[in-house]
Amino acid sequence: MARRSRRTLVIAVTATGAALAAGGMIAHSAASPPGRESAPNAGHPACGRVAAHYPSQLLGKERSSTSAEGVAIWGDGAVVLRCGTAPPKPTTDPCFNVNGVDWVLREGASDNGERVLITYGRAPAVEVTVAEASASAGDGLADLNAAVKEIPQTAHCV
């Protein structure tokens, strides 16, 4: 009987530990809203070079602190930058050059009116999400050039 009680206790403690660990993982993922978590290749050395050149202000918004690697946020999420995303393949989405950096506008990438832009021809890519209510996205992209140019461009928009 004591053996059975001990086994039940071990199972109960193990199950509780697993539940707490799963709950912690859920809480951690809930703490990073979608689009503000690190990109898959955020640890790439080029992203570290990009991060060294993040401007302290963008579109009139102060940069907020974040613990997510490769992520920069200005204002209350008015602009979110993620370094380390997969470079886009050739696309029919609009592609344009802003002062020497090519950007693709991801049509339909956002359900809430945000504009999602991603560098073209740079690996890893840099993704920038600009809230609709923010100032011109083009102005913000121009201000990010010094950072983004830390990743060499290997292809261009056509």
Side-chain angles (χ1 to χ4, degrees):
M1 182 110 162
R3 197 176 256 276
R4 184 173 177 173
S5 296
R6 191 172 290 165
R7 180 187 296 167
T8 303
L9 178 62
V10 169
I11 291 171
V13 168
T14 303
T16 302
L20 288 172
M25 290 170 65
I26 291 168
H28 177 70
S29 65
S32 293
R36 295 184 185 187
E37 68 277 355
S38 294
N41 295 313
H44 191 286
C47 288
R49 293 190 305 272
V50 169
H53 295 282
Y54 291 156
S56 59
Q57 285 193 345
L58 190 66
L59 298 175
K61 309 284 184 190
E62 293 290 326
R63 192 169 80 217
S64 305
S65 64
T66 177
S67 61
E69 185 176 22
V71 176
I73 299 171
W74 288 268
D76 291 330
V79 181
V80 178
L81 177 149
R82 295 185 330 133
C83 184
T85 61
K89 296 183 178 357
T91 179
T92 57
D93 286 342
C95 188
F96 51 91
N97 184 286
V98 178
N99 298 336
V101 177
D102 290 349
W103 295 91
V104 172
L105 175 62
R106 287 286 172 102
E107 298 286 354
S110 173
D111 296 336
N112 58 3
E114 294 175 327
R115 288 165 282 187
V116 179
L117 301 117
I118 187 165
T119 54
Y120 185 80
R122 297 174 192 268
V126 173
E127 176 187 86
V128 177
T129 304
V130 182
E132 187 175 21
S134 296
S136 169
D139 293 341
L141 296 179
D143 292 341
L144 291 171
N145 273 357
V148 172
K149 285 183 175 180
E150 289 294 318
I151 302 172
Q153 187 153 355
T154 58
H156 297 276
C157 293
V158 248

